[in-house]
Amino acid sequence: MISPRLGMQPDVRHKPKEAFEFAANNGFTHVEILMDHPYYVLKNFSYAEVIELKWSYDLDLLIHAPATSTNFISLSDDMRKASYQEMRKVCYFADKCGAEVVTFHIGWNPGFINNGNFFFDRSLFDRHNEKVLMDELKPFVKSCPVQLALENTIMIEDGLERALNDILESTDMGLTIDVGHYNIQENPFFMENFDRVLNMHLHDNDGKQDQHLALGRGTVDLGKFRLDEYTGFLTIETREESAILESRNYLSKWGDV
């Protein structure tokens, strides 16, 4: 049996009405819009339009905040300030249109190419990451009017882990587990805090590249993710119609969903 909280991100070719119509016609209960996409970027998509689509098709809404234009652990004060300005707009939009969850990425620290090799030293960023998350992300989460959920993108350890543990203890911030990302790089922080997971992104890959394949076409083992006890949102993130439906059908045969 498929979870009543199964939804999808739109096919990359879907305009908003097409996305909501496709979701409703194929038994999904929510749509998660990716705000990096030109159809769904804030300047092109009004909350009034979203509300009308939600009501017309009786679907819940989730939001994936822009990841290409935000970096909350940047070394640049100006970049982080701009990232929070963008997120405030996203949270305002999400609040206006009644979004259930806003998933976001934390950002990244740079690595360096040196004489043909890749160099990344976590210790260079350790104290910086902890400080900016405690000073900036923690109060932002506390003041945000909507439910935020951090996705597993970069490894959470050292200063990142210290700060995020504090934020989880002192705010209502949730987590989003992307099973495809986890298949490439296991990120224990997310499974250790499984009780805070509000959303799962579902897609497959070969364990090496982030391919966003239909479930069952790669090496992702859904058995790792405690689906028998999970009650949050499940969001297919293949972004192509046939792969969305293939993944839905795969899940219908998965006994623990």
Side-chain angles (χ1 to χ4, degrees):
M1 180 179 178
I2 297 178
S3 167
R5 305 193 91 184
L6 181 64
M8 44 153 271
Q9 280 189 16
D11 184 307
V12 291
R13 301 159 194 82
H14 281 165
K15 293 182 179 178
K17 184 177 180 181
E18 294 172 318
F20 279 77
E21 187 173 78
F22 178 83
N25 288 343
N26 288 285
F28 296 106
T29 59
H30 72 266
V31 171
E32 181 179 70
I33 57 172
L34 177 61
M35 303 194 86
D36 284 311
H37 193 291
Y39 290 150
Y40 303 98
V41 70
L42 285 168
K43 68 178 182 179
N44 293 335
F45 199 32
S46 72
Y47 60 79
E49 182 180 2
V50 181
I51 291 171
E52 182 176 352
L53 289 169
K54 283 178 59 188
W55 288 351
S56 297
Y57 292 100
D58 191 24
L59 293 169
D60 286 332
L61 174 72
L62 276 63
I63 289 177
H64 192 307
T68 57
S69 57
T70 57
N71 185 355
F72 301 103
I73 54 173
S74 172
L75 294 175
S76 165
D77 294 345
D78 290 338
M79 175 63 73
R80 296 196 314 278
K81 181 178 179 181
S83 297
Y84 282 106
Q85 289 175 340
E86 182 76 359
M87 274 297 289
R88 286 187 187 93
K89 294 176 184 177
V90 170
C91 292
Y92 177 82
F93 178 92
D95 188 40
K96 282 288 187 180
C97 57
E100 304 293 328
V101 177
V102 177
T103 290
F104 72 104
H105 293 187
I106 202 165
W108 64 96
N109 298 133
F112 307 95
I113 303 299
N114 64 314
N115 194 31
N117 298 306
F118 182 75
F119 175 84
F120 180 76
D121 183 349
R122 299 195 312 265
S123 67
L124 294 175
F125 305 100
D126 183 41
R127 294 300 178 186
H128 163 81
N129 288 341
E130 183 175 15
K131 184 177 190 307
V132 298
L133 292 184
M134 291 296 291
D135 291 349
E136 299 169 3
L137 182 63
K138 183 176 178 178
F140 180 83
V141 174
K142 285 185 173 181
S143 66
C144 183
V146 294
Q147 177 65 66
L148 296 175
L150 174 67
E151 183 174 349
N152 55 312
T153 51
I154 64 172
M155 185 61 70
I156 302 302
E157 50 196 351
D158 304 325
L160 289 174
E161 186 170 14
R162 292 191 298 272
L164 289 173
N165 277 330
D166 183 284
I167 292 170
L168 286 181
E169 289 174 4
S170 57
T171 75
D172 67 351
M173 188 181 79
L175 301 173
T176 291
I177 287 185
D178 185 301
V179 304
H181 295 171
Y182 199 91
N183 193 48
I184 295 170
Q185 182 181 54
E186 292 194 0
N187 210 327
F189 175 83
F190 288 80
M191 293 306 294
E192 290 167 1
N193 293 284
F194 189 79
D195 61 316
R196 301 296 287 270
V197 176
L198 304 174
N199 187 20
M200 281 195 190
H201 285 165
L202 304 177
H203 55 98
D204 217 328
N205 59 54
D206 61 5
K208 299 176 182 178
Q209 293 181 305
D210 192 18
Q211 298 163 304
H212 288 259
L213 301 174
L215 291 173
R217 292 196 173 262
T219 61
V220 166
D221 177 7
L222 291 179
K224 291 182 177 181
F225 300 101
R226 296 156 61 178
L227 293 180
D228 57 332
E229 63 185 84
Y230 178 67
T231 59
F233 291 101
L234 296 163
T235 304
I236 295 172
E237 198 185 34
T238 60
R239 303 175 184 143
E240 195 274 333
E241 279 192 5
S242 64
I244 293 169
L245 297 179
E246 185 176 342
S247 298
R248 181 202 62 184
N249 296 339
Y250 181 89
L251 286 168
S252 71
K253 301 173 185 176
W254 188 270
D256 292 332
V257 177

